[in-house]
Amino acid sequence: MELLALEGKIKEKTYGKQKIYFADQSQFKDVSDADLKSMDSQISELSAEAQSLTQSCRQLDAELKELNSSLTTEEMMSEIQELKAECSGCRARLEKIKSVTNHVTPEEKEKVYKEQTVYVKEWKKRKRLASDMINAILEGYPKSKKEFLDEVGVETDEDCKVVVPST
């Protein structure tokens, strides 16, 4: 910077320990107000054009992203073939199910539901009885319930992750 100042291309001012460098305005020709206004209008036009180009570029980028994320024609055809194959498999399965003559009658279905209700009630009753017996034994037992169940070899529904069905 100091070399440019010595050559006279820029000016230097010293303020205490700081030096400030700036362009030497005398090397530029004087510009009239009309020229300044025309330059300002040209700057405004170029700024507006740059802004519109930036907006257009953003729109094109968004469109490109959308097109890149969508499937190509070949991928689309492949997907359609897979879906048609799956659909035909489902239709064949449906026809097979419809053609079977041993459908469950409503009476049989009702009978099975009633049997399930009976068995679930029995399950709950036996579970409650077993729980009551275990709790009675645990009143005088010095160890924890878990240790007792392990020692006796009892597996609870919760240990086996079994849930009693609702009736």
Side-chain angles (χ1 to χ4, degrees):
M1 294 295 269
E2 289 181 12
L3 182 63
L4 287 174
L6 290 175
E7 290 177 6
K9 293 186 179 181
I10 60 172
K11 295 258 183 186
E12 171 187 65
K13 283 196 177 181
T14 306
Y15 293 100
K17 293 182 178 180
Q18 294 179 344
K19 291 183 180 180
I20 297 177
Y21 297 94
F22 54 93
D24 184 8
Q25 300 295 320
S26 63
Q27 62 184 343
F28 301 114
K29 64 179 183 172
D30 289 338
V31 182
S32 67
D33 286 342
D35 290 341
L36 284 175
K37 285 182 182 179
S38 83
M39 284 183 198
D40 283 344
S41 68
Q42 189 178 9
I43 289 171
S44 297
E45 289 171 11
L46 290 173
S47 295
E49 185 180 345
Q51 191 173 10
S52 74
L53 287 173
T54 303
Q55 181 66 25
S56 172
C57 187
R58 282 190 194 126
Q59 287 175 342
L60 290 174
D61 279 342
E63 187 177 335
L64 177 64
K65 231 180 236 181
E66 184 180 328
L67 289 174
N68 282 338
S69 66
S70 65
L71 298 175
T72 64
T73 304
E74 294 82 23
E75 292 171 333
M76 210 51 105
M77 295 299 250
S78 162
E79 185 78 17
I80 288 171
Q81 291 302 322
E82 289 174 19
L83 290 173
K84 281 183 179 178
E86 184 180 338
C87 189
S88 66
C90 289
R91 280 195 182 112
R93 186 168 163 238
L94 177 63
E95 289 302 319
K96 183 179 174 185
I97 291 171
K98 283 183 177 180
S99 68
V100 174
T101 57
N102 62 351
H103 293 291
V104 177
T105 64
E107 294 82 23
E108 291 173 329
K109 187 176 176 183
E110 189 63 32
K111 179 183 171 192
V112 169
Y113 280 133
K114 284 181 182 177
E115 285 178 4
Q116 182 197 19
T117 304
V118 169
Y119 292 137
V120 167
K121 283 181 184 177
E122 189 65 27
W123 181 359
K124 287 180 180 179
K125 179 180 162 188
R126 290 181 184 191
K127 183 175 179 177
R128 189 178 348 89
L129 287 172
S131 180
D132 290 346
M133 286 189 297
I134 290 171
N135 287 335
I137 293 170
L138 284 174
E139 287 179 7
Y141 194 72
K143 297 180 183 174
S144 70
K145 182 176 182 176
K146 185 175 187 323
E147 290 173 343
F148 172 72
L149 294 176
D150 286 342
E151 191 174 303
V152 176
V154 174
E155 293 179 348
T156 63
D157 291 341
E158 291 77 19
D159 291 342
C160 296
K161 295 180 176 54
V162 175
V163 179
V164 179
S166 59
T167 53

